[in-house]
Amino acid sequence: MENLFENTILIVDDTPENIDILVELLEDFETQIAINGEDALETAWEDTPDLILLDIMMPEMDGYEVCKKLRADERTKDIPVIFLTAKTQ
């Protein structure tokens, strides 16, 4: 089936199971995948998504740092970001 929407969503998560769930839930959208902060930045800067679903807890560079770098760059400063987390507090 063709994608119903042309919007692209960048999913950023270091847990493969979470990525699989999100890709399945968002099957009608074009999705991009990044498994760490550096990969997320490179992907967003090369092929600007319309929305970013961003895990907060990742090794090396957490979601807050990724978001800070996205906001500091003209190409990505206006992309909506939704934080995802398994944190309970």
Side-chain angles (χ1 to χ4, degrees):
M1 182 171 151
E2 273 184 57
N3 286 340
L4 299 176
F5 306 97
E6 293 183 20
N7 296 10
T8 301
I9 300 172
L10 173 58
I11 299 169
V12 185
D13 202 309
D14 61 326
T15 307
E17 294 83 8
N18 293 348
I19 292 171
D20 291 344
I21 290 167
L22 289 168
V23 167
E24 186 175 326
L25 286 170
L26 301 168
E27 67 183 342
D28 292 332
F29 294 88
E30 183 70 32
T31 55
Q32 300 168 310
I33 306 297
I35 59 170
N36 59 51
E38 192 64 39
D39 190 25
L41 293 171
E42 289 176 15
T43 301
W45 290 333
E46 288 175 14
D47 188 14
T48 309
D50 298 295
L51 174 68
I52 299 173
L53 300 180
L54 181 57
D55 185 21
I56 292 174
M57 299 185 316
M58 295 184 292
E60 298 175 28
M61 185 186 316
D62 67 20
Y64 297 120
E65 183 66 24
V66 173
C67 189
K68 186 176 181 179
K69 291 181 182 226
L70 289 167
R71 293 292 174 249
D73 191 284
E74 276 299 313
R75 297 168 288 181
T76 54
K77 69 181 179 88
D78 294 323
I79 299 172
V81 174
I82 297 175
F83 284 109
L84 305 174
T85 186
K87 289 176 107 175
T88 57
Q89 298 180 358

